[in-house]
Amino acid sequence: MEMKNENENESHDESVKQIQQDFHEEHPLVLVAEQSNEGLKAHCNGCGELLSAPCFTCIHCNYHLHKQCAEVPLEIPNHPLHPKHSGVGLLLRQRPNPSGYWVYGCALCKEKRNMFFYQCYWCYFSIDIKCAQLSSSFKFSQLYKHDIHQHPLTFIESPMAIDVLKRLNCCWCHEPLTYAIYLCPDCPSFIIHKKCLDELPTKINHPSHHIHPLFLHYSDRNHFCNLCQKEHSGAFYGCSLCHFNINLECALLRSIIEEKRSHQHPFSLLWRQGSFICDACDTEGNCISYICLKCYIVVHKECISLPRIIKFSRHAHYIFHKYFLQTQELTKQDCKICFNEVRLERGSYSCVKQGCNYVVHVNCVLEDEELYELIEDEKQCEELEEKSMQSSIIRVIEVNEAGEAAKIEHLSHQHCLVLADKMEEEIDRKCDGCMLPISNIFYYCSECPFFLHKTCAELPRFKQHWFHHSNATLNFDSFKWCNFCRRSCSGFFYEIGGYLEICIRCAKVADIIECEGHQHFLFFDFKYREKCNGCGIWCRRGAFRCGKCRFALDFGCLTLPH
């Protein structure tokens, strides 16, 4: 990254006030050397942690970096977790990747977050910058092939010295990683104590198959687990007489699981032969289930840890998971994603705001991880709401008798703007924000031909757009290509997730709308992959679809002026 010094004769030292960062080329980042009394209520775009001084911040948009994150090398020659391509080099990257297909979770902490990471030049190995900076004193061993797992494993003698491993558990005994472990960089779920791996029994008697013992096997080919109903490769326990197999994780399930963040009571293992309907997600399960003996709810194992609060990009408020909805007003409610009925006596996500009847199926809302963000508690909700309220790009100079901002300064224009409700002359003027004709209340510049609809002038600098859970940032650069309607635009546009650009016309469209050219309402279907009824072009990013008939429109046709 290129440093810009006030004095060109000085090298990179404490006098550096600004840097130009490779992943944020539109504006320079300014050094904040000391923490203010109020603190920095933001997160670093490099490591994802809460921001603290010294750090670099953009005065134009919501982009911040710790000083140490801004100064990480663009390439590291090798890492002990990835000796396979040692010397080739790991290159610094930033999520989300524009292609969105080849980005895997961190090889060490297994998380996939919007932060800097290093990726191998030759393969899909990636490790985020926090984990990449781990010292060799943590004693990573050379990788070797163990006969119960299909990939080479890394031995870590002191896992508790690695902060990111403190919140993970052994995949065999489910206990914390307090002593030596083996870890598979290629399999997110395979982390096992050395003791557990060394002491795996070759034969077990299992309550799911009483008539014969199960023997430890290993296969490079996939095998079907009769308990979780999924295919796995590697080690498994099986009965060759009955063709009954279970994978390692299902072989020793915990009898009691507590997850107080999602439910106040513990869940007990229930060996239930046959199918059941999960009370958490309202879908069918087979064989293994857990039951809350106080609430009498039966759930899948994976549904025990469903997030309690999420911020879903397609709704303005935070939504909460509930096992059933108590309401005197509603007897029937449709999911706002698939528009099939939500059974109120089963688990769903719903909005708790007064008068807001937003309800969605659990599997619908969690289907695409790019559309939601996990929220730890209600306090985080308040902090994020406060942050979103501070994204105005106008400064009010004068207010009229009606309490409206009559004269403002706008971040996109060098002169003051004045409020008006009609043109003095019959002139065809277009809004410099959305490029549509001026037809209602607007702001104008008295010094040059610049016009903005009042609604365009009041657009927030940062907003949550329903197409992606990351913040959209308003930009004013001229002549861009909209990734949604596929048109060139010379007005304002939002940048979503660092790689999608959307014009104001498209950004104002809600995900559920009434269309004047169709008798039924339309909702956006991310999975729609057929032709648009307006232009006949194949829809590759989804489309606005009718739930009652085979009618669909893409962004380009939906946003055509009437």
Side-chain angles (χ1 to χ4, degrees), residues 123-156:
C123 68
Y124 304 136
F125 175 88
S126 66
I127 184 168
D128 61 45
I129 61 169
K130 290 173 63 178
C131 297
Q133 294 169 348
L134 294 173
S135 166
S136 58
S137 63
F138 294 139
K139 297 184 180 179
F140 293 98
S141 79
Q142 292 296 318
L143 286 78
Y144 76 99
K145 187 75 173 285
H146 197 287
D147 59 1
I148 70 109
H149 192 69
Q150 70 269 36
H151 301 133
L153 302 177
T154 299
F155 176 69
I156 302 179

PDB file of all heavy atoms in Angstrom, residues 123-156:
ATOM      1  N   CYS A 123      -4.141 -22.808  -4.398  1.00  0.00           N
ATOM      2  CA  CYS A 123      -5.317 -23.586  -3.989  1.00  0.00           C
ATOM      3  C   CYS A 123      -6.241 -22.702  -3.174  1.00  0.00           C
ATOM      4  O   CYS A 123      -6.052 -21.491  -3.076  1.00  0.00           O
ATOM      5  CB  CYS A 123      -4.900 -24.836  -3.213  1.00  0.00           C
ATOM      6  SG  CYS A 123      -4.171 -24.490  -1.595  1.00  0.00           S
ATOM      7  N   TYR A 124      -7.269 -23.325  -2.560  1.00  0.00           N
ATOM      8  CA  TYR A 124      -8.301 -22.576  -1.857  1.00  0.00           C
ATOM      9  C   TYR A 124      -7.991 -22.363  -0.378  1.00  0.00           C
ATOM     10  O   TYR A 124      -8.835 -21.901   0.367  1.00  0.00           O
ATOM     11  CB  TYR A 124      -9.654 -23.299  -1.982  1.00  0.00           C
ATOM     12  CG  TYR A 124     -10.062 -23.556  -3.404  1.00  0.00           C
ATOM     13  CD1 TYR A 124     -10.586 -24.784  -3.780  1.00  0.00           C
ATOM     14  CD2 TYR A 124      -9.908 -22.574  -4.372  1.00  0.00           C
ATOM     15  CE1 TYR A 124     -10.957 -25.027  -5.095  1.00  0.00           C
ATOM     16  CE2 TYR A 124     -10.269 -22.799  -5.682  1.00  0.00           C
ATOM     17  CZ  TYR A 124     -10.791 -24.031  -6.045  1.00  0.00           C
ATOM     18  OH  TYR A 124     -11.154 -24.256  -7.345  1.00  0.00           O
ATOM     19  N   PHE A 125      -6.786 -22.722   0.067  1.00  0.00           N
ATOM     20  CA  PHE A 125      -6.409 -22.525   1.460  1.00  0.00           C
ATOM     21  C   PHE A 125      -6.461 -21.040   1.805  1.00  0.00           C
ATOM     22  O   PHE A 125      -5.934 -20.194   1.080  1.00  0.00           O
ATOM     23  CB  PHE A 125      -5.001 -23.062   1.713  1.00  0.00           C
ATOM     24  CG  PHE A 125      -4.486 -22.800   3.102  1.00  0.00           C
ATOM     25  CD1 PHE A 125      -4.748 -23.695   4.118  1.00  0.00           C
ATOM     26  CD2 PHE A 125      -3.764 -21.643   3.383  1.00  0.00           C
ATOM     27  CE1 PHE A 125      -4.273 -23.459   5.405  1.00  0.00           C
ATOM     28  CE2 PHE A 125      -3.293 -21.395   4.659  1.00  0.00           C
ATOM     29  CZ  PHE A 125      -3.548 -22.312   5.678  1.00  0.00           C
ATOM     30  N   SER A 126      -7.113 -20.712   2.932  1.00  0.00           N
ATOM     31  CA  SER A 126      -7.146 -19.318   3.373  1.00  0.00           C
ATOM     32  C   SER A 126      -7.075 -19.262   4.890  1.00  0.00           C
ATOM     33  O   SER A 126      -7.525 -20.172   5.589  1.00  0.00           O
ATOM     34  CB  SER A 126      -8.415 -18.609   2.879  1.00  0.00           C
ATOM     35  OG  SER A 126      -9.571 -19.159   3.484  1.00  0.00           O
ATOM     36  N   ILE A 127      -6.501 -18.195   5.395  1.00  0.00           N
ATOM     37  CA  ILE A 127      -6.378 -17.985   6.830  1.00  0.00           C
ATOM     38  C   ILE A 127      -6.471 -16.489   7.097  1.00  0.00           C
ATOM     39  O   ILE A 127      -5.854 -15.687   6.385  1.00  0.00           O
ATOM     40  CB  ILE A 127      -5.044 -18.581   7.358  1.00  0.00           C
ATOM     41  CG1 ILE A 127      -4.948 -18.459   8.874  1.00  0.00           C
ATOM     42  CG2 ILE A 127      -3.839 -17.951   6.679  1.00  0.00           C
ATOM     43  CD1 ILE A 127      -3.809 -19.273   9.478  1.00  0.00           C
ATOM     44  N   ASP A 128      -7.329 -16.080   8.054  1.00  0.00           N
ATOM     45  CA  ASP A 128      -7.504 -14.646   8.264  1.00  0.00           C
ATOM     46  C   ASP A 128      -6.284 -14.053   8.957  1.00  0.00           C
ATOM     47  O   ASP A 128      -5.435 -14.770   9.487  1.00  0.00           O
ATOM     48  CB  ASP A 128      -8.806 -14.345   9.023  1.00  0.00           C
ATOM     49  CG  ASP A 128      -8.864 -14.961  10.414  1.00  0.00           C
ATOM     50  OD1 ASP A 128      -7.866 -14.856  11.137  1.00  0.00           O
ATOM     51  OD2 ASP A 128      -9.904 -15.527  10.774  1.00  0.00           O
ATOM     52  N   ILE A 129      -6.194 -12.724   8.945  1.00  0.00           N
ATOM     53  CA  ILE A 129      -4.949 -12.081   9.374  1.00  0.00           C
ATOM     54  C   ILE A 129      -4.674 -12.291  10.854  1.00  0.00           C
ATOM     55  O   ILE A 129      -3.520 -12.330  11.274  1.00  0.00           O
ATOM     56  CB  ILE A 129      -4.930 -10.577   9.033  1.00  0.00           C
ATOM     57  CG1 ILE A 129      -6.066  -9.825   9.727  1.00  0.00           C
ATOM     58  CG2 ILE A 129      -4.983 -10.352   7.544  1.00  0.00           C
ATOM     59  CD1 ILE A 129      -5.923  -8.318   9.633  1.00  0.00           C
ATOM     60  N   LYS A 130      -5.723 -12.449  11.666  1.00  0.00           N
ATOM     61  CA  LYS A 130      -5.509 -12.691  13.096  1.00  0.00           C
ATOM     62  C   LYS A 130      -4.827 -14.039  13.310  1.00  0.00           C
ATOM     63  O   LYS A 130      -3.897 -14.155  14.093  1.00  0.00           O
ATOM     64  CB  LYS A 130      -6.844 -12.647  13.841  1.00  0.00           C
ATOM     65  CG  LYS A 130      -7.460 -11.263  13.924  1.00  0.00           C
ATOM     66  CD  LYS A 130      -8.846 -11.339  14.520  1.00  0.00           C
ATOM     67  CE  LYS A 130      -8.806 -11.855  15.936  1.00  0.00           C
ATOM     68  NZ  LYS A 130     -10.166 -11.897  16.543  1.00  0.00           N
ATOM     69  N   CYS A 131      -5.307 -15.051  12.599  1.00  0.00           N
ATOM     70  CA  CYS A 131      -4.736 -16.388  12.761  1.00  0.00           C
ATOM     71  C   CYS A 131      -3.390 -16.512  12.052  1.00  0.00           C
ATOM     72  O   CYS A 131      -2.527 -17.280  12.483  1.00  0.00           O
ATOM     73  CB  CYS A 131      -5.710 -17.440  12.223  1.00  0.00           C
ATOM     74  SG  CYS A 131      -7.281 -17.500  13.110  1.00  0.00           S
ATOM     75  N   ALA A 132      -3.196 -15.771  10.974  1.00  0.00           N
ATOM     76  CA  ALA A 132      -1.946 -15.863  10.220  1.00  0.00           C
ATOM     77  C   ALA A 132      -0.762 -15.329  11.013  1.00  0.00           C
ATOM     78  O   ALA A 132       0.382 -15.722  10.777  1.00  0.00           O
ATOM     79  CB  ALA A 132      -2.073 -15.099   8.903  1.00  0.00           C
ATOM     80  N   GLN A 133      -1.022 -14.438  11.960  1.00  0.00           N
ATOM     81  CA  GLN A 133       0.056 -13.815  12.726  1.00  0.00           C
ATOM     82  C   GLN A 133       0.482 -14.639  13.938  1.00  0.00           C
ATOM     83  O   GLN A 133       1.289 -14.191  14.738  1.00  0.00           O
ATOM     84  CB  GLN A 133      -0.384 -12.421  13.184  1.00  0.00           C
ATOM     85  CG  GLN A 133      -0.579 -11.452  12.028  1.00  0.00           C
ATOM     86  CD  GLN A 133      -1.256 -10.165  12.462  1.00  0.00           C
ATOM     87  OE1 GLN A 133      -1.769 -10.066  13.562  1.00  0.00           O
ATOM     88  NE2 GLN A 133      -1.263  -9.179  11.584  1.00  0.00           N
ATOM     89  N   LEU A 134      -0.062 -15.864  14.077  1.00  0.00           N
ATOM     90  CA  LEU A 134       0.286 -16.689  15.228  1.00  0.00           C
ATOM     91  C   LEU A 134       1.774 -17.029  15.219  1.00  0.00           C
ATOM     92  O   LEU A 134       2.359 -17.324  14.192  1.00  0.00           O
ATOM     93  CB  LEU A 134      -0.543 -17.967  15.220  1.00  0.00           C
ATOM     94  CG  LEU A 134      -2.044 -17.759  15.423  1.00  0.00           C
ATOM     95  CD1 LEU A 134      -2.780 -19.068  15.231  1.00  0.00           C
ATOM     96  CD2 LEU A 134      -2.327 -17.195  16.797  1.00  0.00           C
ATOM     97  N   SER A 135       2.351 -17.033  16.402  1.00  0.00           N
ATOM     98  CA  SER A 135       3.788 -17.274  16.537  1.00  0.00           C
ATOM     99  C   SER A 135       4.109 -18.750  16.374  1.00  0.00           C
ATOM    100  O   SER A 135       3.301 -19.622  16.653  1.00  0.00           O
ATOM    101  CB  SER A 135       4.260 -16.781  17.908  1.00  0.00           C
ATOM    102  OG  SER A 135       5.534 -17.266  18.197  1.00  0.00           O
ATOM    103  N   SER A 136       5.316 -19.035  15.953  1.00  0.00           N
ATOM    104  CA  SER A 136       5.757 -20.421  15.841  1.00  0.00           C
ATOM    105  C   SER A 136       5.926 -21.071  17.211  1.00  0.00           C
ATOM    106  O   SER A 136       6.067 -22.284  17.324  1.00  0.00           O
ATOM    107  CB  SER A 136       7.091 -20.493  15.088  1.00  0.00           C
ATOM    108  OG  SER A 136       8.070 -19.721  15.769  1.00  0.00           O
ATOM    109  N   SER A 137       5.876 -20.279  18.280  1.00  0.00           N
ATOM    110  CA  SER A 137       5.999 -20.832  19.628  1.00  0.00           C
ATOM    111  C   SER A 137       4.795 -21.681  20.003  1.00  0.00           C
ATOM    112  O   SER A 137       4.816 -22.380  21.021  1.00  0.00           O
ATOM    113  CB  SER A 137       6.168 -19.701  20.653  1.00  0.00           C
ATOM    114  OG  SER A 137       5.019 -18.874  20.667  1.00  0.00           O
ATOM    115  N   PHE A 138       3.725 -21.633  19.207  1.00  0.00           N
ATOM    116  CA  PHE A 138       2.556 -22.462  19.490  1.00  0.00           C
ATOM    117  C   PHE A 138       2.774 -23.915  19.058  1.00  0.00           C
ATOM    118  O   PHE A 138       1.911 -24.757  19.234  1.00  0.00           O
ATOM    119  CB  PHE A 138       1.317 -21.891  18.801  1.00  0.00           C
ATOM    120  CG  PHE A 138       0.890 -20.562  19.346  1.00  0.00           C
ATOM    121  CD1 PHE A 138       0.454 -19.559  18.494  1.00  0.00           C
ATOM    122  CD2 PHE A 138       0.933 -20.311  20.697  1.00  0.00           C
ATOM    123  CE1 PHE A 138       0.063 -18.333  18.995  1.00  0.00           C
ATOM    124  CE2 PHE A 138       0.544 -19.089  21.207  1.00  0.00           C
ATOM    125  CZ  PHE A 138       0.103 -18.090  20.369  1.00  0.00           C
ATOM    126  N   LYS A 139       3.929 -24.197  18.478  1.00  0.00           N
ATOM    127  CA  LYS A 139       4.343 -25.561  18.170  1.00  0.00           C
ATOM    128  C   LYS A 139       3.385 -26.295  17.236  1.00  0.00           C
ATOM    129  O   LYS A 139       2.836 -27.330  17.565  1.00  0.00           O
ATOM    130  CB  LYS A 139       4.544 -26.359  19.464  1.00  0.00           C
ATOM    131  CG  LYS A 139       5.664 -25.804  20.342  1.00  0.00           C
ATOM    132  CD  LYS A 139       5.912 -26.665  21.553  1.00  0.00           C
ATOM    133  CE  LYS A 139       7.038 -26.087  22.404  1.00  0.00           C
ATOM    134  NZ  LYS A 139       7.284 -26.890  23.620  1.00  0.00           N
ATOM    135  N   PHE A 140       3.175 -25.710  16.054  1.00  0.00           N
ATOM    136  CA  PHE A 140       2.515 -26.456  14.989  1.00  0.00           C
ATOM    137  C   PHE A 140       3.490 -27.538  14.529  1.00  0.00           C
ATOM    138  O   PHE A 140       4.634 -27.247  14.224  1.00  0.00           O
ATOM    139  CB  PHE A 140       2.200 -25.554  13.791  1.00  0.00           C
ATOM    140  CG  PHE A 140       1.173 -24.500  14.055  1.00  0.00           C
ATOM    141  CD1 PHE A 140       1.547 -23.212  14.368  1.00  0.00           C
ATOM    142  CD2 PHE A 140      -0.174 -24.798  13.972  1.00  0.00           C
ATOM    143  CE1 PHE A 140       0.600 -22.227  14.595  1.00  0.00           C
ATOM    144  CE2 PHE A 140      -1.122 -23.822  14.203  1.00  0.00           C
ATOM    145  CZ  PHE A 140      -0.740 -22.541  14.511  1.00  0.00           C
ATOM    146  N   SER A 141       3.046 -28.771  14.432  1.00  0.00           N
ATOM    147  CA  SER A 141       3.935 -29.822  13.950  1.00  0.00           C
ATOM    148  C   SER A 141       3.811 -29.943  12.437  1.00  0.00           C
ATOM    149  O   SER A 141       2.940 -29.349  11.820  1.00  0.00           O
ATOM    150  CB  SER A 141       3.568 -31.162  14.583  1.00  0.00           C
ATOM    151  OG  SER A 141       2.444 -31.703  13.925  1.00  0.00           O
ATOM    152  N   GLN A 142       4.693 -30.733  11.852  1.00  0.00           N
ATOM    153  CA  GLN A 142       4.534 -31.080  10.443  1.00  0.00           C
ATOM    154  C   GLN A 142       3.242 -31.885  10.269  1.00  0.00           C
ATOM    155  O   GLN A 142       2.859 -32.651  11.151  1.00  0.00           O
ATOM    156  CB  GLN A 142       5.724 -31.908   9.961  1.00  0.00           C
ATOM    157  CG  GLN A 142       7.017 -31.132   9.911  1.00  0.00           C
ATOM    158  CD  GLN A 142       6.953 -30.005   8.892  1.00  0.00           C
ATOM    159  OE1 GLN A 142       6.437 -30.180   7.795  1.00  0.00           O
ATOM    160  NE2 GLN A 142       7.479 -28.845   9.252  1.00  0.00           N
ATOM    161  N   LEU A 143       2.578 -31.700   9.167  1.00  0.00           N
ATOM    162  CA  LEU A 143       1.344 -32.414   8.925  1.00  0.00           C
ATOM    163  C   LEU A 143       1.644 -33.854   8.530  1.00  0.00           C
ATOM    164  O   LEU A 143       2.621 -34.135   7.863  1.00  0.00           O
ATOM    165  CB  LEU A 143       0.529 -31.740   7.810  1.00  0.00           C
ATOM    166  CG  LEU A 143      -0.165 -30.417   8.184  1.00  0.00           C
ATOM    167  CD1 LEU A 143       0.814 -29.277   8.188  1.00  0.00           C
ATOM    168  CD2 LEU A 143      -1.305 -30.141   7.243  1.00  0.00           C
ATOM    169  N   TYR A 144       0.758 -34.758   8.959  1.00  0.00           N
ATOM    170  CA  TYR A 144       0.920 -36.142   8.531  1.00  0.00           C
ATOM    171  C   TYR A 144      -0.451 -36.775   8.371  1.00  0.00           C
ATOM    172  O   TYR A 144      -1.447 -36.309   8.888  1.00  0.00           O
ATOM    173  CB  TYR A 144       1.767 -36.931   9.534  1.00  0.00           C
ATOM    174  CG  TYR A 144       1.047 -37.314  10.800  1.00  0.00           C
ATOM    175  CD1 TYR A 144       0.506 -38.589  10.955  1.00  0.00           C
ATOM    176  CD2 TYR A 144       0.926 -36.402  11.848  1.00  0.00           C
ATOM    177  CE1 TYR A 144      -0.155 -38.938  12.126  1.00  0.00           C
ATOM    178  CE2 TYR A 144       0.274 -36.751  13.012  1.00  0.00           C
ATOM    179  CZ  TYR A 144      -0.265 -38.024  13.150  1.00  0.00           C
ATOM    180  OH  TYR A 144      -0.905 -38.360  14.295  1.00  0.00           O
ATOM    181  N   LYS A 145      -0.482 -37.873   7.628  1.00  0.00           N
ATOM    182  CA  LYS A 145      -1.731 -38.556   7.326  1.00  0.00           C
ATOM    183  C   LYS A 145      -2.059 -39.553   8.431  1.00  0.00           C
ATOM    184  O   LYS A 145      -1.262 -40.395   8.782  1.00  0.00           O
ATOM    185  CB  LYS A 145      -1.583 -39.289   5.986  1.00  0.00           C
ATOM    186  CG  LYS A 145      -2.868 -39.912   5.451  1.00  0.00           C
ATOM    187  CD  LYS A 145      -3.792 -38.857   4.878  1.00  0.00           C
ATOM    188  CE  LYS A 145      -5.004 -39.482   4.183  1.00  0.00           C
ATOM    189  NZ  LYS A 145      -4.682 -40.064   2.898  1.00  0.00           N
ATOM    190  N   HIS A 146      -3.251 -39.400   9.015  1.00  0.00           N
ATOM    191  CA  HIS A 146      -3.718 -40.343  10.025  1.00  0.00           C
ATOM    192  C   HIS A 146      -4.743 -41.257   9.365  1.00  0.00           C
ATOM    193  O   HIS A 146      -5.542 -40.818   8.543  1.00  0.00           O
ATOM    194  CB  HIS A 146      -4.347 -39.593  11.205  1.00  0.00           C
ATOM    195  CG  HIS A 146      -4.479 -40.429  12.443  1.00  0.00           C
ATOM    196  ND1 HIS A 146      -5.401 -41.434  12.560  1.00  0.00           N
ATOM    197  CD2 HIS A 146      -3.792 -40.402  13.611  1.00  0.00           C
ATOM    198  CE1 HIS A 146      -5.290 -41.989  13.749  1.00  0.00           C
ATOM    199  NE2 HIS A 146      -4.319 -41.380  14.416  1.00  0.00           N
ATOM    200  N   ASP A 147      -4.725 -42.545   9.745  1.00  0.00           N
ATOM    201  CA  ASP A 147      -5.543 -43.498   9.002  1.00  0.00           C
ATOM    202  C   ASP A 147      -7.037 -43.402   9.280  1.00  0.00           C
ATOM    203  O   ASP A 147      -7.823 -44.129   8.687  1.00  0.00           O
ATOM    204  CB  ASP A 147      -5.065 -44.939   9.258  1.00  0.00           C
ATOM    205  CG  ASP A 147      -5.128 -45.316  10.735  1.00  0.00           C
ATOM    206  OD1 ASP A 147      -5.564 -44.456  11.538  1.00  0.00           O
ATOM    207  OD2 ASP A 147      -4.748 -46.450  11.072  1.00  0.00           O
ATOM    208  N   ILE A 148      -7.481 -42.499  10.179  1.00  0.00           N
ATOM    209  CA  ILE A 148      -8.923 -42.363  10.374  1.00  0.00           C
ATOM    210  C   ILE A 148      -9.476 -41.101   9.704  1.00  0.00           C
ATOM    211  O   ILE A 148     -10.661 -40.810   9.821  1.00  0.00           O
ATOM    212  CB  ILE A 148      -9.299 -42.379  11.871  1.00  0.00           C
ATOM    213  CG1 ILE A 148      -8.827 -41.094  12.545  1.00  0.00           C
ATOM    214  CG2 ILE A 148      -8.780 -43.596  12.568  1.00  0.00           C
ATOM    215  CD1 ILE A 148      -9.884 -40.153  12.937  1.00  0.00           C
ATOM    216  N   HIS A 149      -8.626 -40.360   9.028  1.00  0.00           N
ATOM    217  CA  HIS A 149      -9.110 -39.153   8.362  1.00  0.00           C
ATOM    218  C   HIS A 149      -8.464 -39.047   6.985  1.00  0.00           C
ATOM    219  O   HIS A 149      -7.295 -39.398   6.805  1.00  0.00           O
ATOM    220  CB  HIS A 149      -8.789 -37.903   9.192  1.00  0.00           C
ATOM    221  CG  HIS A 149      -9.489 -36.670   8.712  1.00  0.00           C
ATOM    222  ND1 HIS A 149     -10.850 -36.505   8.819  1.00  0.00           N
ATOM    223  CD2 HIS A 149      -9.026 -35.557   8.107  1.00  0.00           C
ATOM    224  CE1 HIS A 149     -11.194 -35.335   8.312  1.00  0.00           C
ATOM    225  NE2 HIS A 149     -10.097 -34.735   7.872  1.00  0.00           N
ATOM    226  N   GLN A 150      -9.256 -38.531   6.015  1.00  0.00           N
ATOM    227  CA  GLN A 150      -8.793 -38.562   4.628  1.00  0.00           C
ATOM    228  C   GLN A 150      -7.758 -37.492   4.306  1.00  0.00           C
ATOM    229  O   GLN A 150      -7.093 -37.558   3.272  1.00  0.00           O
ATOM    230  CB  GLN A 150      -9.984 -38.415   3.673  1.00  0.00           C
ATOM    231  CG  GLN A 150     -10.649 -37.033   3.649  1.00  0.00           C
ATOM    232  CD  GLN A 150     -11.787 -36.907   4.639  1.00  0.00           C
ATOM    233  OE1 GLN A 150     -11.713 -37.471   5.732  1.00  0.00           O
ATOM    234  NE2 GLN A 150     -12.820 -36.177   4.283  1.00  0.00           N
ATOM    235  N   HIS A 151      -7.598 -36.460   5.164  1.00  0.00           N
ATOM    236  CA  HIS A 151      -6.639 -35.382   4.906  1.00  0.00           C
ATOM    237  C   HIS A 151      -5.510 -35.413   5.941  1.00  0.00           C
ATOM    238  O   HIS A 151      -5.685 -35.930   7.043  1.00  0.00           O
ATOM    239  CB  HIS A 151      -7.333 -34.011   4.977  1.00  0.00           C
ATOM    240  CG  HIS A 151      -8.455 -33.857   4.001  1.00  0.00           C
ATOM    241  ND1 HIS A 151      -9.676 -33.351   4.347  1.00  0.00           N
ATOM    242  CD2 HIS A 151      -8.532 -34.171   2.691  1.00  0.00           C
ATOM    243  CE1 HIS A 151     -10.465 -33.335   3.284  1.00  0.00           C
ATOM    244  NE2 HIS A 151      -9.792 -33.829   2.275  1.00  0.00           N
ATOM    245  N   PRO A 152      -4.360 -34.834   5.601  1.00  0.00           N
ATOM    246  CA  PRO A 152      -3.294 -34.686   6.597  1.00  0.00           C
ATOM    247  C   PRO A 152      -3.765 -33.819   7.768  1.00  0.00           C
ATOM    248  O   PRO A 152      -4.538 -32.888   7.590  1.00  0.00           O
ATOM    249  CB  PRO A 152      -2.164 -34.002   5.817  1.00  0.00           C
ATOM    250  CG  PRO A 152      -2.452 -34.300   4.389  1.00  0.00           C
ATOM    251  CD  PRO A 152      -3.949 -34.354   4.272  1.00  0.00           C
ATOM    252  N   LEU A 153      -3.292 -34.132   8.970  1.00  0.00           N
ATOM    253  CA  LEU A 153      -3.688 -33.415  10.174  1.00  0.00           C
ATOM    254  C   LEU A 153      -2.509 -32.630  10.739  1.00  0.00           C
ATOM    255  O   LEU A 153      -1.360 -33.039  10.611  1.00  0.00           O
ATOM    256  CB  LEU A 153      -4.188 -34.406  11.239  1.00  0.00           C
ATOM    257  CG  LEU A 153      -5.362 -35.298  10.844  1.00  0.00           C
ATOM    258  CD1 LEU A 153      -5.699 -36.264  11.974  1.00  0.00           C
ATOM    259  CD2 LEU A 153      -6.574 -34.469  10.483  1.00  0.00           C
ATOM    260  N   THR A 154      -2.810 -31.495  11.367  1.00  0.00           N
ATOM    261  CA  THR A 154      -1.803 -30.672  12.027  1.00  0.00           C
ATOM    262  C   THR A 154      -1.882 -30.886  13.533  1.00  0.00           C
ATOM    263  O   THR A 154      -2.961 -30.842  14.112  1.00  0.00           O
ATOM    264  CB  THR A 154      -2.036 -29.180  11.711  1.00  0.00           C
ATOM    265  OG1 THR A 154      -1.930 -28.989  10.313  1.00  0.00           O
ATOM    266  CG2 THR A 154      -1.000 -28.309  12.408  1.00  0.00           C
ATOM    267  N   PHE A 155      -0.728 -31.105  14.154  1.00  0.00           N
ATOM    268  CA  PHE A 155      -0.673 -31.274  15.606  1.00  0.00           C
ATOM    269  C   PHE A 155      -0.366 -29.930  16.256  1.00  0.00           C
ATOM    270  O   PHE A 155       0.577 -29.252  15.869  1.00  0.00           O
ATOM    271  CB  PHE A 155       0.404 -32.299  15.979  1.00  0.00           C
ATOM    272  CG  PHE A 155       0.584 -32.458  17.462  1.00  0.00           C
ATOM    273  CD1 PHE A 155      -0.405 -33.043  18.240  1.00  0.00           C
ATOM    274  CD2 PHE A 155       1.750 -32.020  18.078  1.00  0.00           C
ATOM    275  CE1 PHE A 155      -0.240 -33.189  19.602  1.00  0.00           C
ATOM    276  CE2 PHE A 155       1.927 -32.163  19.448  1.00  0.00           C
ATOM    277  CZ  PHE A 155       0.923 -32.746  20.213  1.00  0.00           C
ATOM    278  N   ILE A 156      -1.172 -29.532  17.242  1.00  0.00           N
ATOM    279  CA  ILE A 156      -0.947 -28.295  17.990  1.00  0.00           C
ATOM    280  C   ILE A 156      -0.828 -28.670  19.462  1.00  0.00           C
ATOM    281  O   ILE A 156      -1.785 -29.161  20.069  1.00  0.00           O
ATOM    282  CB  ILE A 156      -2.090 -27.287  17.774  1.00  0.00           C
ATOM    283  CG1 ILE A 156      -2.235 -26.966  16.286  1.00  0.00           C
ATOM    284  CG2 ILE A 156      -1.834 -26.004  18.562  1.00  0.00           C
ATOM    285  CD1 ILE A 156      -3.353 -26.006  15.969  1.00  0.00           C
TER     286      ILE A 156
END
